[in-house]
Amino acid sequence: MAEQDVIELLMAQHGQIRDLFDEVEQAPPDKVEAAFGRLTRMLSVHETAEEEIVHPYARRKLDNGQGVVADRLHEENRAKRLLLDLHNDGVDHPRFWERLAELRTAVQAHARGEERYEFTRLRAHTSTAERRAMGAAVRAAESLAPVRPHPGTESATKNLLLGTPLAVMDRARELIRKALGKV
Ligand SMILES: [Fe+2]
Ligand SMILES: [Fe+2]
C-alpha cells in the first residue's frame, strides 16, 4: 500500500506541513496558538523521523550519501533553531509572523532538497520491503502529531506540556527506535 512506503509517507507529511503553515497563517487570533502547536508537533515528529530513519540509510546507500545528508542536516538544523525560537517566544511575540514566514521558507526549501536529492535516489536504491519497514517506523511516531484539532483537549497548558518541540522529538525518537528494533 502506497501509504506504508516511507517515501510516500514523508512526502504526504511535507504536504501536511504546508497545510499546517496555511492554517496558522489563516487562523483567527484565538486559534493561532493551537494551530502553531500542531505545526510544531508535526515538524518535530517529521524531522526526527527523517533523522532517525532515512538519513542514516541514505548516508550508507547513496553515492555521495554523506554529502547529501550533510546538506539536508544543515537545512534541518537551521529550521529547528527557528522553530525553537518561535516556540520559546510564543505567538504574541512582535516578530512572530515575520519569523514564521522565515521558517516556512526554510522548511519548504529543505523539503524540496530532500525530495529532489535524497528521496528520489533512495527510492531507486531500496526494495519495497525496506521502504515499508522504514514506513512502519514513521507511522509509530505519527500519533504524536495529530493534524486535526481535538476539541476540548487542546488547552493552552496541555499544548505547552505536550508541544515542547524538544520533548516531542525525544518521544518520537524513542518510539521510532523501538519500531526499528534498536532498543
Ligand atoms: Fe527533513
Ligand atoms: Fe522532510
Side-chain angles (χ1 to χ4, degrees), residues 10-11 13-14 17 43 46-47 50 54-55 76 107 110-112 114-115 118-119:
L10 292 173
M11 285 178 57
Q13 288 185 349
H14 285 172
I17 288 166
L43 278 173
H46 176 78
E47 298 303 345
E50 291 174 338
V54 292
H55 295 337
E76 227 156 80
V107 163
H110 169 59
R112 275 196 302 277
E114 286 176 334
E115 292 181 13
E118 187 178 11
F119 293 178

